[in-house]
Amino acid sequence: MKTLASYLAGRWQTADRDFRILLDPSTEEPLARASSTGADFAAALDWARGTGGPALRALSFGARGEILKSLSKTLRERRAELLDLSRANNGATESDGAFDVDGAGGTLAFYGGLGLALGDRRWLVDGDGLQLARTEAFWTRHALVPKQGAALHVNAFNFPAWGFAEKFACAFLAGVPSIVKPATATALVAHRMVEIVLESGLLPAGALQLVVGATGDLVDRLGAQDVLAFTGSAATARELRGRANLLAASVRVNVEADSLNAAVLGPDAAPGSAPFDAFVRDVAREMTQKAGQKCTAVRRILVPRAHAGAATEALAARLAGVVTGNPADPEVGMGPLATAAQLTDALDGVAELLATADLVAGTGRRADGRGAPAGKGFFLAPTLLASPVPLELTPVHEREVFGPVATVLPYSGTAEEAAQLVAMAGGTLVTSAYSDDPDWLAGLVAGAGAWTGRLYVGSTGAEGFGSGAALPASSHGGPGRAGGGEELGGLRGLAPYLQRVALQGHRGVVDPLAGA
Amino acid sequence: MKTLASYLAGRWQTADRDFRILLDPSTEEPLARASSTGADFAAALDWARGTGGPALRALSFGARGEILKSLSKTLRERRAELLDLSRANNGATESDGAFDVDGAGGTLAFYGGLGLALGDRRWLVDGDGLQLARTEAFWTRHALVPKQGAALHVNAFNFPAWGFAEKFACAFLAGVPSIVKPATATALVAHRMVEIVLESGLLPAGALQLVVGATGDLVDRLGAQDVLAFTGSAATARELRGRANLLAASVRVNVEADSLNAAVLGPDAAPGSAPFDAFVRDVAREMTQKAGQKCTAVRRILVPRAHAGAATEALAARLAGVVTGNPADPEVGMGPLATAAQLTDALDGVAELLATADLVAGTGRRADGRGAPAGKGFFLAPTLLASPVPLELTPVHEREVFGPVATVLPYSGTAEEAAQLVAMAGGTLVTSAYSDDPDWLAGLVAGAGAWTGRLYVGSTGAEGFGSGAALPASSHGGPGRAGGGEELGGLRGLAPYLQRVALQGHRGVVDPLAGA
């Protein structure tokens, strides 16, 4: 069996024990094994801080952007190989794999473009200058300079390609070296991507390292100039964020946790209207794409009571057309969950939800998958529930089921009640709204805007990709339960890796200093 | 004796036990007593969230700005009274008190002006819009909307007026109600300011509450929409930030901790030059203003070895002219430390520093103060040390003595070594540099910029106020040991109180929605 290697302190290195086996989640066949036991993380951090950081800071934004553009091209040339690995290790359909792999390439290219536009600068000017006293002899301007530590990127199992790319692109463009740690169970794609990136010879030494397996004492070694960016469960985020060394040194921790995102149908969006059709199409896709294993997936479906019957029927009909199985079979529209543990957790979650909700479509039980051996594979067919008590604080607002599962919540149709329901989940990454009524939409922003990191509007004539895509131009992250972090959003995404410095002095000194 | 009251849930209320006595630190005479025992903090939070927040969000930025302008004017009319309280309870000289009280008024007026300039908006548009697909039918733009919780402001003892104003101005302008908790030992000034503000009738109900005494269970009651802004010691910040409820709900915690700030003399700034003179003048003032009890005070004085003798001599001479004593005496230039505990801590700190540094000026012991009863008052005369081993990690880089104490560190004169020394303190609020050499200054930003929140440049012709003033137009905060937070900096200071929402959809829908 293939043994995955970590790339640390300039060399590929494998462990000799404590291996975890990576499986094909459709067939449960072993694919590879991974372990980080014995890795010297102190040396890895030294290499990032001492070699990678200075090399990156010596490059201009333009030079860093050029490299990101080239990396995007290089990875796109290996697209077919990466999609194969994604199908094998993530159970991803062709379309799911493309969502991940093409999203990665697009994000690298986008940040490459931002770098090229910034040209020769090596740090960013932040805002205009301002006079502080009677003359320009006292003046202020802000600069954003690269932090001098390492960025540790702990990624989730569901987006091995995009998760790597979106964090790496921001850190790299900011001038900070990355240590990437993909989730072990689905590490094949990220591992291969890092191999391809390093083989390309495009990166300065120390700019990128890879950990396969556990992080050992790596988090405990982070200090004031380092950054921890984490995507995963709220529980793990809480544990990481509370580590004594991170608190003591004010280490920047950027968290993107999964959340109970809501899709909201507006009262004007009657059956037959364009927003109603977009709502049904989008919600069904957000539930089933990557088998619902997306932090941005729709978990709660808010429907005005007047349209609840029609909307539920239309959704159930659409979900019934989705074939669950091994993505190696061309008829399959939705693959398995990624691991046995994920399946168990999702089934437990459905059972919890069913204590206060009713089953509308699906069984809430493991199924055999088309094209997969009987009894094998981590399959769960699309599962739609409905809550008879949407305004009560039931598990529907608290228990995220990380699979193709969502619950219909009938509501009055007012923006205020929709906002109240959105807020009951304690903070979400994204909310989607389907309406042509600008006042209702403004009411939703006023009421629910503080509870969500993104609001996706499906109105007549809009041509969006749905609420599930975290696009590099828009901020990605959400308050409260969603982790309170922010990624992407153009140059905003560089913020965790930069230190803002307020420069003060004579304008003739400060302005050139800020723009260096 | 006067019993200070808290203002919570719409009424002034006093405790009946557990009082702490507020003293005049020059004479040790009691002034008042304070306790929060029995306060209902759940009701206070409900009042902020349920009454204050909605009222503030109903106001435009312009209306909020108008109120801040009026508050500034109202407080300025009471300037003499506030300076008296500052002298009595903080041991502040006229000039120290004005630094605090006028700083408060100026900050309120500055944010008032920002609000007026924003006019009718109720939330902020963040950056330009961007097309996400082939047409404007998929478009993104970001809005910053007010959080729907309460802002708890825990302030330090040294700036009762300014600390209140700088945090309150930002939260209020953002549209978030404040609960202000001044340090108990010096609460008289903040208590009176809040009385004046509330008596003015300018604020909507629920927009401002006051806690005198301990915070009880208030911090443990904060949730996803609340904000905690803390100024004080790094140790307390660490404890607060690690609270389980704050970690679980990703509560925004903005920390501004004291730090070992450095003033750096450039190698070109020879004795007799304008930067050299500015350096001596500024460092002596930053050491003695408010008896060195400023988070921005200079603690480490970096001098090129070639100028070390001249610089140390000039500083010692200047410090020798500072008369320490009761600020009620007009000859006094520097008052006492604020409390007995602060004096003890400062004396302990000097003893720790002296293990690896030499005394140049002062005694490192308590002194009697001019105009104060013998044996009474928390006085420590200006104390200058010098380190023979500046590049070793001695207490000089780690132990902050929060008083009129600083240490000279001779260095080679290169920007690289200066940056290395700045960094050895693990992150600072401010660094000041005295030089006319743009290349040396650029080298200092490149090397030390990531370790400091602000860089103040004293060059020939500059007319700054010194590095100690946290001005509202410049960001205030620093990385690592300094807490990792940011306050002020114009509209940047509103960020902790706002949620960024990425809006996506048709441009015709998104742009009006963002600008509402």
mmCIF file of all heavy atoms in Angstrom, chain A residues 398-442:
data_model
loop_
_atom_site.group_PDB
_atom_site.id
_atom_site.type_symbol
_atom_site.label_atom_id
_atom_site.label_comp_id
_atom_site.label_asym_id
_atom_site.label_seq_id
_atom_site.Cartn_x
_atom_site.Cartn_y
_atom_site.Cartn_z
ATOM 1 N N GLU A 398 -29.679 23.387 16.054
ATOM 2 C CA GLU A 398 -28.422 23.208 16.794
ATOM 3 C C GLU A 398 -27.558 22.057 16.298
ATOM 4 O O GLU A 398 -26.344 22.101 16.402
ATOM 5 C CB GLU A 398 -28.749 22.970 18.288
ATOM 6 C CG GLU A 398 -29.390 24.194 18.933
ATOM 7 C CD GLU A 398 -29.672 23.996 20.411
ATOM 8 O OE1 GLU A 398 -30.073 22.870 20.792
ATOM 9 O OE2 GLU A 398 -29.479 24.953 21.175
ATOM 10 N N ARG A 399 -28.194 21.013 15.781
ATOM 11 C CA ARG A 399 -27.440 19.815 15.424
ATOM 12 C C ARG A 399 -27.213 19.808 13.922
ATOM 13 O O ARG A 399 -28.139 19.590 13.148
ATOM 14 C CB ARG A 399 -28.248 18.579 15.852
ATOM 15 C CG ARG A 399 -27.627 17.250 15.436
ATOM 16 C CD ARG A 399 -26.236 17.067 16.037
ATOM 17 N NE ARG A 399 -25.915 15.654 16.208
ATOM 18 C CZ ARG A 399 -25.145 14.967 15.351
ATOM 19 N NH1 ARG A 399 -24.618 15.553 14.289
ATOM 20 N NH2 ARG A 399 -24.887 13.694 15.616
ATOM 21 N N GLU A 400 -25.962 20.041 13.542
ATOM 22 C CA GLU A 400 -25.672 19.970 12.122
ATOM 23 C C GLU A 400 -25.481 18.515 11.710
ATOM 24 O O GLU A 400 -24.649 17.810 12.284
ATOM 25 C CB GLU A 400 -24.411 20.750 11.792
ATOM 26 C CG GLU A 400 -24.248 20.878 10.296
ATOM 27 C CD GLU A 400 -22.861 21.301 9.898
ATOM 28 O OE1 GLU A 400 -21.894 20.890 10.561
ATOM 29 O OE2 GLU A 400 -22.747 22.032 8.913
ATOM 30 N N VAL A 401 -26.241 18.085 10.720
ATOM 31 C CA VAL A 401 -26.025 16.751 10.140
ATOM 32 C C VAL A 401 -25.225 16.967 8.858
ATOM 33 O O VAL A 401 -25.712 17.558 7.900
ATOM 34 C CB VAL A 401 -27.365 16.058 9.838
ATOM 35 C CG1 VAL A 401 -27.102 14.676 9.264
ATOM 36 C CG2 VAL A 401 -28.211 15.968 11.101
ATOM 37 N N PHE A 402 -23.978 16.508 8.876
ATOM 38 C CA PHE A 402 -23.073 16.807 7.759
ATOM 39 C C PHE A 402 -23.245 15.770 6.666
ATOM 40 O O PHE A 402 -22.383 14.930 6.420
ATOM 41 C CB PHE A 402 -21.635 16.856 8.273
ATOM 42 C CG PHE A 402 -20.749 17.810 7.514
ATOM 43 C CD1 PHE A 402 -20.957 19.185 7.574
ATOM 44 C CD2 PHE A 402 -19.709 17.333 6.735
ATOM 45 C CE1 PHE A 402 -20.144 20.063 6.870
ATOM 46 C CE2 PHE A 402 -18.885 18.203 6.036
ATOM 47 C CZ PHE A 402 -19.101 19.570 6.096
ATOM 48 N N GLY A 403 -24.391 15.870 6.020
ATOM 49 C CA GLY A 403 -24.732 14.939 4.952
ATOM 50 C C GLY A 403 -25.899 15.514 4.165
ATOM 51 O O GLY A 403 -26.267 16.681 4.353
ATOM 52 N N PRO A 404 -26.528 14.700 3.288
ATOM 53 C CA PRO A 404 -27.602 15.203 2.418
ATOM 54 C C PRO A 404 -28.932 15.297 3.158
ATOM 55 O O PRO A 404 -29.893 14.615 2.794
ATOM 56 C CB PRO A 404 -27.630 14.175 1.294
ATOM 57 C CG PRO A 404 -27.212 12.901 1.954
ATOM 58 C CD PRO A 404 -26.225 13.281 3.015
ATOM 59 N N VAL A 405 -28.953 16.129 4.179
ATOM 60 C CA VAL A 405 -30.091 16.189 5.101
ATOM 61 C C VAL A 405 -30.442 17.651 5.381
ATOM 62 O O VAL A 405 -29.563 18.446 5.705
ATOM 63 C CB VAL A 405 -29.738 15.497 6.443
ATOM 64 C CG1 VAL A 405 -30.908 15.565 7.407
ATOM 65 C CG2 VAL A 405 -29.289 14.057 6.208
ATOM 66 N N ALA A 406 -31.732 17.986 5.233
ATOM 67 C CA ALA A 406 -32.182 19.334 5.593
ATOM 68 C C ALA A 406 -33.627 19.263 6.057
ATOM 69 O O ALA A 406 -34.327 18.278 5.818
ATOM 70 C CB ALA A 406 -32.036 20.286 4.414
ATOM 71 N N THR A 407 -34.052 20.334 6.724
ATOM 72 C CA THR A 407 -35.380 20.359 7.342
ATOM 73 C C THR A 407 -36.170 21.578 6.877
ATOM 74 O O THR A 407 -35.646 22.702 6.902
ATOM 75 C CB THR A 407 -35.241 20.411 8.878
ATOM 76 O OG1 THR A 407 -34.418 19.330 9.311
ATOM 77 C CG2 THR A 407 -36.606 20.317 9.552
ATOM 78 N N VAL A 408 -37.405 21.346 6.467
ATOM 79 C CA VAL A 408 -38.298 22.445 6.094
ATOM 80 C C VAL A 408 -38.887 23.076 7.355
ATOM 81 O O VAL A 408 -39.393 22.370 8.233
ATOM 82 C CB VAL A 408 -39.438 21.937 5.184
ATOM 83 C CG1 VAL A 408 -40.447 23.050 4.912
ATOM 84 C CG2 VAL A 408 -38.870 21.379 3.881
ATOM 85 N N LEU A 409 -38.790 24.416 7.432
ATOM 86 C CA LEU A 409 -39.359 25.162 8.556
ATOM 87 C C LEU A 409 -40.392 26.143 8.018
ATOM 88 O O LEU A 409 -40.028 27.190 7.473
ATOM 89 C CB LEU A 409 -38.260 25.953 9.287
ATOM 90 C CG LEU A 409 -37.045 25.185 9.816
ATOM 91 C CD1 LEU A 409 -36.033 26.145 10.429
ATOM 92 C CD2 LEU A 409 -37.476 24.170 10.850
ATOM 93 N N PRO A 410 -41.663 25.853 8.149
ATOM 94 C CA PRO A 410 -42.676 26.815 7.696
ATOM 95 C C PRO A 410 -42.658 28.052 8.594
ATOM 96 O O PRO A 410 -42.451 27.931 9.807
ATOM 97 C CB PRO A 410 -43.998 26.046 7.866
ATOM 98 C CG PRO A 410 -43.610 24.621 8.041
ATOM 99 C CD PRO A 410 -42.266 24.619 8.675
ATOM 100 N N TYR A 411 -42.832 29.233 7.982
ATOM 101 C CA TYR A 411 -42.849 30.467 8.789
ATOM 102 C C TYR A 411 -43.887 31.423 8.212
ATOM 103 O O TYR A 411 -44.475 31.164 7.163
ATOM 104 C CB TYR A 411 -41.445 31.081 8.861
ATOM 105 C CG TYR A 411 -41.020 31.866 7.640
ATOM 106 C CD1 TYR A 411 -40.960 33.260 7.673
ATOM 107 C CD2 TYR A 411 -40.695 31.234 6.443
ATOM 108 C CE1 TYR A 411 -40.569 33.990 6.562
ATOM 109 C CE2 TYR A 411 -40.314 31.954 5.326
ATOM 110 C CZ TYR A 411 -40.254 33.337 5.388
ATOM 111 O OH TYR A 411 -39.893 34.054 4.283
ATOM 112 N N SER A 412 -44.078 32.549 8.923
ATOM 113 C CA SER A 412 -45.170 33.468 8.564
ATOM 114 C C SER A 412 -44.968 34.169 7.230
ATOM 115 O O SER A 412 -45.914 34.614 6.602
ATOM 116 C CB SER A 412 -45.296 34.543 9.647
ATOM 117 O OG SER A 412 -44.139 35.373 9.622
ATOM 118 N N GLY A 413 -43.704 34.323 6.821
ATOM 119 C CA GLY A 413 -43.415 35.063 5.599
ATOM 120 C C GLY A 413 -42.831 36.440 5.859
ATOM 121 O O GLY A 413 -42.294 37.067 4.945
ATOM 122 N N THR A 414 -42.891 36.923 7.093
ATOM 123 C CA THR A 414 -42.298 38.242 7.355
ATOM 124 C C THR A 414 -40.776 38.134 7.428
ATOM 125 O O THR A 414 -40.227 37.102 7.822
ATOM 126 C CB THR A 414 -42.793 38.843 8.683
ATOM 127 O OG1 THR A 414 -42.293 38.041 9.768
ATOM 128 C CG2 THR A 414 -44.315 38.883 8.738
ATOM 129 N N ALA A 415 -40.128 39.237 7.050
ATOM 130 C CA ALA A 415 -38.659 39.274 7.136
ATOM 131 C C ALA A 415 -38.216 39.139 8.585
ATOM 132 O O ALA A 415 -37.178 38.534 8.873
ATOM 133 C CB ALA A 415 -38.132 40.572 6.529
ATOM 134 N N GLU A 416 -38.985 39.694 9.506
ATOM 135 C CA GLU A 416 -38.630 39.644 10.930
ATOM 136 C C GLU A 416 -38.607 38.191 11.424
ATOM 137 O O GLU A 416 -37.679 37.786 12.111
ATOM 138 C CB GLU A 416 -39.627 40.454 11.770
ATOM 139 C CG GLU A 416 -39.565 41.961 11.568
ATOM 140 C CD GLU A 416 -40.050 42.405 10.182
ATOM 141 O OE1 GLU A 416 -40.889 41.685 9.566
ATOM 142 O OE2 GLU A 416 -39.573 43.436 9.698
ATOM 143 N N GLU A 417 -39.645 37.431 11.075
ATOM 144 C CA GLU A 417 -39.660 36.047 11.559
ATOM 145 C C GLU A 417 -38.581 35.218 10.861
ATOM 146 O O GLU A 417 -37.955 34.350 11.484
ATOM 147 C CB GLU A 417 -41.039 35.416 11.380
ATOM 148 C CG GLU A 417 -41.138 34.076 12.098
ATOM 149 C CD GLU A 417 -42.554 33.498 12.106
ATOM 150 O OE1 GLU A 417 -43.500 34.249 12.418
ATOM 151 O OE2 GLU A 417 -42.699 32.308 11.788
ATOM 152 N N ALA A 418 -38.352 35.501 9.580
ATOM 153 C CA ALA A 418 -37.262 34.791 8.887
ATOM 154 C C ALA A 418 -35.933 35.076 9.583
ATOM 155 O O ALA A 418 -35.131 34.163 9.832
ATOM 156 C CB ALA A 418 -37.215 35.220 7.421
ATOM 157 N N ALA A 419 -35.697 36.349 9.928
ATOM 158 C CA ALA A 419 -34.448 36.715 10.593
ATOM 159 C C ALA A 419 -34.334 36.030 11.952
ATOM 160 O O ALA A 419 -33.256 35.551 12.333
ATOM 161 C CB ALA A 419 -34.355 38.237 10.751
ATOM 162 N N GLN A 420 -35.444 35.982 12.662
ATOM 163 C CA GLN A 420 -35.439 35.318 13.967
ATOM 164 C C GLN A 420 -35.037 33.853 13.820
ATOM 165 O O GLN A 420 -34.222 33.323 14.607
ATOM 166 C CB GLN A 420 -36.837 35.443 14.570
ATOM 167 C CG GLN A 420 -36.978 34.829 15.947
ATOM 168 C CD GLN A 420 -38.441 34.815 16.414
ATOM 169 O OE1 GLN A 420 -39.304 35.472 15.809
ATOM 170 N NE2 GLN A 420 -38.714 34.054 17.462
ATOM 171 N N LEU A 421 -35.570 33.200 12.805
ATOM 172 C CA LEU A 421 -35.233 31.786 12.581
ATOM 173 C C LEU A 421 -33.778 31.623 12.162
ATOM 174 O O LEU A 421 -33.079 30.717 12.638
ATOM 175 C CB LEU A 421 -36.170 31.192 11.527
ATOM 176 C CG LEU A 421 -37.598 30.936 12.015
ATOM 177 C CD1 LEU A 421 -38.564 30.775 10.842
ATOM 178 C CD2 LEU A 421 -37.634 29.677 12.899
ATOM 179 N N VAL A 422 -33.321 32.500 11.281
ATOM 180 C CA VAL A 422 -31.902 32.439 10.883
ATOM 181 C C VAL A 422 -31.028 32.535 12.128
ATOM 182 O O VAL A 422 -30.094 31.760 12.323
ATOM 183 C CB VAL A 422 -31.562 33.577 9.890
ATOM 184 C CG1 VAL A 422 -30.051 33.710 9.720
ATOM 185 C CG2 VAL A 422 -32.228 33.324 8.540
ATOM 186 N N ALA A 423 -31.370 33.494 13.023
ATOM 187 C CA ALA A 423 -30.546 33.768 14.203
ATOM 188 C C ALA A 423 -30.546 32.614 15.206
ATOM 189 O O ALA A 423 -29.599 32.466 15.980
ATOM 190 C CB ALA A 423 -31.030 35.043 14.895
ATOM 191 N N MET A 424 -31.592 31.796 15.179
ATOM 192 C CA MET A 424 -31.694 30.734 16.190
ATOM 193 C C MET A 424 -30.567 29.713 16.090
ATOM 194 O O MET A 424 -30.321 28.967 17.042
ATOM 195 C CB MET A 424 -33.058 30.047 16.092
ATOM 196 C CG MET A 424 -34.166 30.911 16.701
ATOM 197 S SD MET A 424 -35.814 30.218 16.442
ATOM 198 C CE MET A 424 -35.800 28.860 17.631
ATOM 199 N N ALA A 425 -29.847 29.676 14.980
ATOM 200 C CA ALA A 425 -28.718 28.748 14.861
ATOM 201 C C ALA A 425 -27.425 29.332 15.407
ATOM 202 O O ALA A 425 -26.372 28.692 15.334
ATOM 203 C CB ALA A 425 -28.540 28.322 13.400
ATOM 204 N N GLY A 426 -27.468 30.552 15.909
ATOM 205 C CA GLY A 426 -26.301 31.102 16.609
ATOM 206 C C GLY A 426 -25.167 31.581 15.735
ATOM 207 O O GLY A 426 -24.051 31.756 16.220
ATOM 208 N N GLY A 427 -25.452 31.815 14.449
ATOM 209 C CA GLY A 427 -24.397 32.309 13.550
ATOM 210 C C GLY A 427 -24.123 31.326 12.433
ATOM 211 O O GLY A 427 -23.825 30.161 12.687
ATOM 212 N N THR A 428 -24.220 31.801 11.188
ATOM 213 C CA THR A 428 -24.060 30.902 10.039
ATOM 214 C C THR A 428 -23.111 31.483 9.000
ATOM 215 O O THR A 428 -22.858 32.692 8.972
ATOM 216 C CB THR A 428 -25.415 30.641 9.338
ATOM 217 O OG1 THR A 428 -25.885 31.872 8.775
ATOM 218 C CG2 THR A 428 -26.451 30.104 10.310
ATOM 219 N N LEU A 429 -22.613 30.611 8.154
ATOM 220 C CA LEU A 429 -21.735 31.043 7.075
ATOM 221 C C LEU A 429 -22.500 31.753 5.982
ATOM 222 O O LEU A 429 -22.024 32.729 5.411
ATOM 223 C CB LEU A 429 -21.002 29.835 6.471
ATOM 224 C CG LEU A 429 -19.994 29.154 7.373
ATOM 225 C CD1 LEU A 429 -19.518 27.859 6.740
ATOM 226 C CD2 LEU A 429 -18.811 30.081 7.644
ATOM 227 N N VAL A 430 -23.673 31.228 5.649
ATOM 228 C CA VAL A 430 -24.387 31.788 4.505
ATOM 229 C C VAL A 430 -25.888 31.611 4.691
ATOM 230 O O VAL A 430 -26.357 30.639 5.296
ATOM 231 C CB VAL A 430 -23.905 31.139 3.182
ATOM 232 C CG1 VAL A 430 -24.146 29.637 3.170
ATOM 233 C CG2 VAL A 430 -24.554 31.790 1.955
ATOM 234 N N THR A 431 -26.611 32.596 4.194
ATOM 235 C CA THR A 431 -28.063 32.538 4.145
ATOM 236 C C THR A 431 -28.434 32.838 2.696
ATOM 237 O O THR A 431 -27.828 33.720 2.086
ATOM 238 C CB THR A 431 -28.677 33.591 5.081
ATOM 239 O OG1 THR A 431 -28.238 33.327 6.420
ATOM 240 C CG2 THR A 431 -30.198 33.575 5.031
ATOM 241 N N SER A 432 -29.394 32.110 2.154
ATOM 242 C CA SER A 432 -29.844 32.444 0.811
ATOM 243 C C SER A 432 -31.294 32.870 0.864
ATOM 244 O O SER A 432 -32.072 32.382 1.691
ATOM 245 C CB SER A 432 -29.644 31.269 -0.147
ATOM 246 O OG SER A 432 -30.141 30.073 0.415
ATOM 247 N N ALA A 433 -31.635 33.829 0.022
ATOM 248 C CA ALA A 433 -32.987 34.398 0.031
ATOM 249 C C ALA A 433 -33.493 34.439 -1.399
ATOM 250 O O ALA A 433 -32.773 34.861 -2.305
ATOM 251 C CB ALA A 433 -32.955 35.794 0.630
ATOM 252 N N TYR A 434 -34.732 34.002 -1.601
ATOM 253 C CA TYR A 434 -35.313 33.932 -2.937
ATOM 254 C C TYR A 434 -36.530 34.831 -2.964
ATOM 255 O O TYR A 434 -37.580 34.509 -2.391
ATOM 256 C CB TYR A 434 -35.641 32.476 -3.279
ATOM 257 C CG TYR A 434 -34.372 31.652 -3.358
ATOM 258 C CD1 TYR A 434 -33.774 31.157 -2.197
ATOM 259 C CD2 TYR A 434 -33.714 31.466 -4.565
ATOM 260 C CE1 TYR A 434 -32.575 30.459 -2.259
ATOM 261 C CE2 TYR A 434 -32.512 30.773 -4.636
ATOM 262 C CZ TYR A 434 -31.952 30.271 -3.480
ATOM 263 O OH TYR A 434 -30.755 29.602 -3.546
ATOM 264 N N SER A 435 -36.380 35.973 -3.613
ATOM 265 C CA SER A 435 -37.439 36.988 -3.600
ATOM 266 C C SER A 435 -37.120 38.065 -4.626
ATOM 267 O O SER A 435 -35.963 38.281 -4.977
ATOM 268 C CB SER A 435 -37.512 37.627 -2.201
ATOM 269 O OG SER A 435 -38.347 38.762 -2.208
ATOM 270 N N ASP A 436 -38.170 38.755 -5.070
ATOM 271 C CA ASP A 436 -37.993 39.949 -5.906
ATOM 272 C C ASP A 436 -38.407 41.211 -5.158
ATOM 273 O O ASP A 436 -38.528 42.271 -5.770
ATOM 274 C CB ASP A 436 -38.831 39.825 -7.197
ATOM 275 C CG ASP A 436 -38.215 38.840 -8.179
ATOM 276 O OD1 ASP A 436 -36.973 38.794 -8.279
ATOM 277 O OD2 ASP A 436 -38.984 38.122 -8.851
ATOM 278 N N ASP A 437 -38.619 41.117 -3.861
ATOM 279 C CA ASP A 437 -39.137 42.252 -3.098
ATOM 280 C C ASP A 437 -37.991 42.949 -2.354
ATOM 281 O O ASP A 437 -37.483 42.440 -1.353
ATOM 282 C CB ASP A 437 -40.177 41.723 -2.093
ATOM 283 C CG ASP A 437 -40.783 42.839 -1.249
ATOM 284 O OD1 ASP A 437 -40.225 43.959 -1.218
ATOM 285 O OD2 ASP A 437 -41.815 42.567 -0.603
ATOM 286 N N PRO A 438 -37.576 44.129 -2.844
ATOM 287 C CA PRO A 438 -36.407 44.785 -2.232
ATOM 288 C C PRO A 438 -36.634 45.147 -0.762
ATOM 289 O O PRO A 438 -35.677 45.105 0.026
ATOM 290 C CB PRO A 438 -36.198 46.043 -3.086
ATOM 291 C CG PRO A 438 -37.388 46.184 -3.954
ATOM 292 C CD PRO A 438 -38.104 44.872 -4.001
ATOM 293 N N ASP A 439 -37.845 45.495 -0.386
ATOM 294 C CA ASP A 439 -38.085 45.861 1.016
ATOM 295 C C ASP A 439 -37.961 44.643 1.928
ATOM 296 O O ASP A 439 -37.391 44.706 3.019
ATOM 297 C CB ASP A 439 -39.475 46.488 1.181
ATOM 298 C CG ASP A 439 -39.549 47.839 0.501
ATOM 299 O OD1 ASP A 439 -38.483 48.467 0.319
ATOM 300 O OD2 ASP A 439 -40.663 48.248 0.130
ATOM 301 N N TRP A 440 -38.514 43.528 1.455
ATOM 302 C CA TRP A 440 -38.404 42.294 2.244
ATOM 303 C C TRP A 440 -36.932 41.891 2.373
ATOM 304 O O TRP A 440 -36.469 41.521 3.469
ATOM 305 C CB TRP A 440 -39.219 41.177 1.573
ATOM 306 C CG TRP A 440 -39.240 39.889 2.335
ATOM 307 C CD1 TRP A 440 -40.096 39.537 3.333
ATOM 308 C CD2 TRP A 440 -38.339 38.780 2.154
ATOM 309 N NE1 TRP A 440 -39.803 38.283 3.796
ATOM 310 C CE2 TRP A 440 -38.734 37.791 3.103
ATOM 311 C CE3 TRP A 440 -37.267 38.527 1.309
ATOM 312 C CZ2 TRP A 440 -38.067 36.561 3.200
ATOM 313 C CZ3 TRP A 440 -36.611 37.311 1.418
ATOM 314 C CH2 TRP A 440 -37.009 36.337 2.354
ATOM 315 N N LEU A 441 -36.172 42.018 1.283
ATOM 316 C CA LEU A 441 -34.745 41.671 1.337
ATOM 317 C C LEU A 441 -33.990 42.606 2.282
ATOM 318 O O LEU A 441 -33.141 42.159 3.067
ATOM 319 C CB LEU A 441 -34.135 41.733 -0.065
ATOM 320 C CG LEU A 441 -34.536 40.589 -1.009
ATOM 321 C CD1 LEU A 441 -34.149 40.925 -2.454
ATOM 322 C CD2 LEU A 441 -33.881 39.277 -0.577
ATOM 323 N N ALA A 442 -34.309 43.902 2.218
ATOM 324 C CA ALA A 442 -33.634 44.848 3.125
ATOM 325 C C ALA A 442 -33.975 44.518 4.580
ATOM 326 O O ALA A 442 -33.105 44.606 5.465
ATOM 327 C CB ALA A 442 -34.044 46.282 2.794
#
